[in-house]
């Protein structure tokens, strides 16, 4: 009798593919965090780039291609952020569904409200410019909610039997973000208007959301290393504007930022580029805003 029941359980598992989790692969940690919260137990989420890695220059690995071969849905930032490495992985995965334009591919920039879109012609002398808009839009909670809605809609299309669960997952995500944002902004009030320096032009959405004032960037142009002359000009500007914070991701070199902090009196805040595997999207925002506030208000 015992053998019969074990066999029945195995047979049920084999003939019930609808119970399998949807395999979602995100290019960056923020999209992975959003997908986990929207999809809940109905999805299995992995990410190609770690929070400590620069998403502009990820290193494609054979294991990534294998992960994408098994994926049901690939979530990308778009706007050229992953253009140096993702197409190679998509082709190598041999999974037509996750190719650009396929039903298993979602470029989330289409749902976001973007800044810095370029209408004039650009060239490499201007640095790492993204003509479609600044791709670091996920740091804006409103954009995160818009992208979460797009993710939920695509999951419903791929897995309609669990459509109600995905819609509820999106609603819970949006409500949770709204509640946490209200808490964050209230706590951040003393730091509004703080003059801030960034390393790379990746924080414009955050600066607008928190009401900060950007004084300058360590990079003279996006992706271009700072020269001594640029550093000297930036230091003078920081001193004149009384900049209090230098903000950068952990994957950028810190030597120049540390020098500027020592000579200007600003505080250097180094953060990961997105949520960790056990963090929610709102948790990441909370920690990020808190680190900036603590550096600004002292």
């Amino acid at each position: 009798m015992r053998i019969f029941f074990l066999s029945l359980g195995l047979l049920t598992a084999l003939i019930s593919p609808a119970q399998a989790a949807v395999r979602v692969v995100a290019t960056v940690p923020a999209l992975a965090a959003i997908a986990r919260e929207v999809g809940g137990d109905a999805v299995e989420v992995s990410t190609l780039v770690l929070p400590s890695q620069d998403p502009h220059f990820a290193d494609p690995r054979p294991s990534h291609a294998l992960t994408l071969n098994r994926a049901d849905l690939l979530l990308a930032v778009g706007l050229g952020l992953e253009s140096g490495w993702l197409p190679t992985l998509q082709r190598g995965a041999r999974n037509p569904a996750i190719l650009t334009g396929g039903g298993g591919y979602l470029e989330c920039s289409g749902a976001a409200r973007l800044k810095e879109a370029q209408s004039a012609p650009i060239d490499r002398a201007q640095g790492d410019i993204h003509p479609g808009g600044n791709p670091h839009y996920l740091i804006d909670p409103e954009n995160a909610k818009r992208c979460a809605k797009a993710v939920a809609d695509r999951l419903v299309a791929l897995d309609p039997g669990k459509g109600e669960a995905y819609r509820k997952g999106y609603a819970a995500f949006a409500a949770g973000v709204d509640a946490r944002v209200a808490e964050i902004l209230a706590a951040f009030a003393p730091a509004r208007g703080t003059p801030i320096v960034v390393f790379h032009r990746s924080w414009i959405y955050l600066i607008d959301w928190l009401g900060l004032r950007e004084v300058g960037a360590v990079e003279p142009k996006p992706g271009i290393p700072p020269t001594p002359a640029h550093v000297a000009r930036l230091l003078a500007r920081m001193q004149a504007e009384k900049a209090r914070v230098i903000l950068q991701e952990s994957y950028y070199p810190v030597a120049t930022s540390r020098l500027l902090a020592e000579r200007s009196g600003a505080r250097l805040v180094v953060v990961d580029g997105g949520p960790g595997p056990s963090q929610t999207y709102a948790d990441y925002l909370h920690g990020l805003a808190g680190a900036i506030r603590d550096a600004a208000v002292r």
Side-chain angles (χ1 to χ4, degrees):
M1 183 67 70
R2 185 180 179 186
I3 295 174
F4 170 79
F5 282 120
L6 286 173
S7 299
L8 181 60
L10 289 172
L11 179 62
T12 301
L14 289 172
I15 65 174
S16 302
Q19 300 304 311
V22 176
R23 288 168 292 198
V24 180
V25 179
T27 57
V28 298
L31 285 177
I34 290 169
R36 286 190 192 100
E37 293 185 67
V38 170
D41 293 338
V43 299
E44 178 185 297
V45 182
S46 58
T47 183
L48 299 176
V49 176
L50 299 175
S52 57
Q53 294 176 317
D54 186 348
H56 298 84
F57 305 108
D59 184 20
R61 299 178 181 177
S63 61
H64 290 158
L66 180 60
T67 298
L68 287 173
N69 172 261
R70 298 169 175 170
D72 300 303
L73 176 61
L74 170 60
L75 303 177
V77 172
L79 301 174
L81 181 75
E82 307 103 336
S83 61
W85 56 272
L86 185 58
T88 299
L89 285 175
Q90 288 174 285
R91 290 190 297 269
R94 301 185 183 278
N95 180 355
I98 56 93
L99 293 176
T100 303
Y105 176 80
L106 177 61
E107 192 167 294
C108 294
S109 61
R113 291 178 178 168
L114 303 172
K115 301 179 184 292
E116 295 187 336
Q118 306 291 317
S119 55
I122 62 172
D123 57 51
R124 294 303 298 172
Q126 296 171 267
D128 184 20
I129 300 294
H130 299 268
N134 189 300
H136 303 282
Y137 56 82
L138 287 166
I139 204 67
D140 178 344
E142 289 301 315
N143 276 338
K145 290 192 297 181
R146 293 167 68 89
C147 292
K149 178 62 164 59
V151 171
D153 289 345
R154 186 60 61 90
L155 287 171
V156 170
L158 291 172
D159 188 17
K162 298 175 187 169
E164 186 61 22
Y166 296 131
R167 284 185 280 267
K168 287 181 178 178
Y170 161 69
F173 173 83
V177 167
D178 285 344
R180 204 66 180 276
V181 163
E183 175 188 329
I184 291 169
L185 293 179
F188 199 81
R192 289 184 69 84
T194 295
I196 186 172
V197 167
V198 299
F199 188 96
H200 181 76
R201 292 280 298 167
S202 46
W203 299 107
I204 63 164
Y205 298 92
L206 176 84
I207 286 169
D208 287 352
W209 171 53
L210 291 178
L212 299 166
R213 181 166 62 86
E214 185 177 322
V215 170
V218 176
E219 291 179 332
K221 296 177 182 178
I224 305 298
T227 62
H230 172 74
V231 172
R233 289 192 295 270
L234 179 58
L235 176 59
R237 194 179 315 133
M238 291 175 67
Q239 292 169 333
E241 299 277 351
K242 296 182 171 56
R244 299 180 66 80
V245 178
I246 302 173
L247 177 64
Q248 73 170 75
E249 295 91 332
S250 57
Y251 44 75
Y252 290 122
V254 299
T256 301
S257 299
R258 188 176 290 125
L259 176 67
L260 286 166
E262 291 170 354
R263 297 195 177 180
S264 68
R267 292 276 181 88
L268 175 59
V269 177
V270 180
V271 298
D272 280 342
S278 61
Q279 271 188 313
T280 67
Y281 172 81
D283 284 342
Y284 174 72
L285 284 189
H286 183 268
L288 175 60
I292 298 170
R293 180 200 61 222
D294 292 347
V297 181
R298 47 191 163 89

